[in-house]
Amino acid sequence: MFEGYAEHYNANARLIILRALAEQTDYRLNDSLLLQVLNSFAINKGKGFLRAQLQWLQDEGSCVKIHEIGTAVIAELSATGLDHVEKRIVVPGVLRPSAVLS
C-alpha cells in the first residue's frame, strides 16, 4: 500500500457518509443504513469502521452529531457538514466533493 492510502480511504468514506446524510429530508440516518451506503461504494467495512468515522466527523470535523438510541447510532448532519457537501467550505480530513460525483 502506498503512503497516505488509509487517510485517503477514510476521507472518501467520510464524504460518502456526509452526502448520504445530505440526501435525507431530515439529514439523519442510522448506522445500519449508512453501512449499506458505504458497501454500495465498495467500502466493505464493519460497524466498527463506520462508527469510528462518525466519531471522527463529530469530534474532529464538527460535521455530524451522533445520537445513541439503544444499540443503534443515529448520525445527523450539521451545518458544517452540509456546507462541505455543498462546496461552501472545506473540512480537512474529508475528501472534497467533485463535480463528477455531485
Side-chain angles (χ1 to χ4, degrees):
M1 254 184 266
F2 62 90
E3 190 173 321
Y5 176 77
E7 291 85 5
H8 181 76
Y9 189 90
N10 292 342
N12 186 38
R14 293 172 189 146
L15 176 60
I16 292 167
I17 291 166
L18 294 181
R19 284 189 163 167
L21 294 171
E23 291 175 358
Q24 305 307 306
T25 56
D26 64 355
Y27 298 130
R28 299 182 312 154
L29 280 172
N30 67 43
D31 56 348
S32 293
L33 293 173
L34 283 169
L35 197 57
Q36 289 179 4
V37 171
L38 287 176
N39 287 337
S40 72
F41 283 93
I43 297 180
N44 300 312
K45 299 283 186 174
K47 278 193 180 180
F49 172 82
L50 170 62
R51 289 182 178 184
Q53 299 311 310
L54 290 174
Q55 196 68 52
W56 187 97
L57 285 165
Q58 176 176 266
D59 297 343
E60 303 295 326
S62 300
C63 295
V64 302
K65 184 169 183 181
I66 298 171
H67 307 278
E68 294 185 31
I69 302 173
T71 59
V73 170
I74 309 296
E76 182 176 4
L77 188 65
S78 71
T80 301
L82 184 60
D83 284 346
H84 181 84
V85 170
E86 294 184 350
K87 303 176 190 175
R88 290 189 288 267
I89 65 168
V90 174
V91 176
V94 180
L95 195 67
R96 293 179 73 172
S98 69
V100 176
L101 296 176
S102 294

